[in-house]
Each structure stands twice: as structure tokens, then as C-alpha cells.
Amino acid sequence: MAQTEENTCPACRKKRRSEEEYTRLIHRLNRIEGQIGGIRRMVEEDRYCPDILLQAAAANAALAAFNRELLAAHLRTCVTQDIREGREDTMEELIGVLQKLMKG
């Protein structure tokens, strides 16, 4: 869960997820992919704009739910462990991520 010694750059960090977390996240992503495919078909079929907009809003809500779930898992695991290990840069990283998420 934490950064390994050989992965010292933030872009190189990885996280092992539990089978349960992995399954939940992949399930959500599969649903989102399906929604996006449905929106594409609606455009290709010249569907009425408000119908497409409602489907796009539903896809946005599904992606936001994915982000909330992933963020909660990150806080419970990676951030908690990093704080216990004295990694002060974790809070700055988290603040930056939250600021980007709140722009949307």
C-alpha cells in the first residue's frame, strides 16, 4: 500500500488494492463505460438533445461516485499509512488533489 523504496517519484507510486476494492472500482468503471457507449449511440442515432444531456449527467454522477469511493479508500489506506510513517508531503499532495477535484 505504501510507496516502496525503489519507487521514490510520486508518478511511480503504486497501490495494492484488496480484491473487494478492486472489484468495486472495476464494476463502477464498467458501468461508466457502458453509459458513455450509450451516449455515443444516442448521438449517432440523432437522439433529442435533452435526452443525451440527461444521460451525460448520469455518467458525470457515476464518475463522481467513483472518485468519492477511490478518495475514501486512499484516505483510509495510503494517507493514513504515510502520516504514520511521518511523510509530511502526503498532506500537500492530498490538498492538491482535493483542489483539482473541487474545480470540476
Side-chain angles (χ1 to χ4, degrees):
M1 286 185 201
Q3 177 176 340
T4 62
E5 296 299 321
E6 68 242 18
N7 292 333
T8 56
C9 72
C12 300
R13 293 180 75 177
K14 292 187 177 190
K15 178 192 178 200
R16 287 186 197 246
R17 291 177 173 74
S18 69
E19 186 65 33
E20 180 183 330
E21 178 187 359
Y22 173 84
T23 300
R24 279 195 322 268
L25 292 173
I26 294 299
H27 177 73
R28 284 185 181 273
L29 289 171
N30 287 338
R31 286 179 39 209
I32 293 165
E33 282 182 339
Q35 288 175 305
I36 299 301
I39 293 167
R40 174 184 292 275
R41 283 187 298 281
M42 291 175 81
V43 171
E44 291 170 349
E45 295 168 359
D46 295 327
R47 298 280 297 272
Y48 190 53
C49 297
D51 295 339
I52 298 171
L53 289 167
L54 290 174
Q55 288 303 311
N60 280 331
L63 192 54
F66 172 85
N67 286 341
R68 284 190 301 273
E69 184 166 339
L70 186 59
L71 178 61
H74 180 59
L75 291 170
R76 288 186 192 106
T77 57
C78 302
V79 172
T80 300
Q81 184 168 349
D82 283 356
I83 288 171
R84 286 183 184 143
E85 293 174 358
R87 291 200 58 229
E88 295 178 20
D89 60 319
T90 297
M91 288 309 292
E92 290 305 313
E93 177 187 63
L94 179 60
I95 289 167
V97 168
L98 291 172
Q99 288 173 338
K100 287 178 183 174
L101 286 173
M102 288 186 212
K103 282 184 182 179

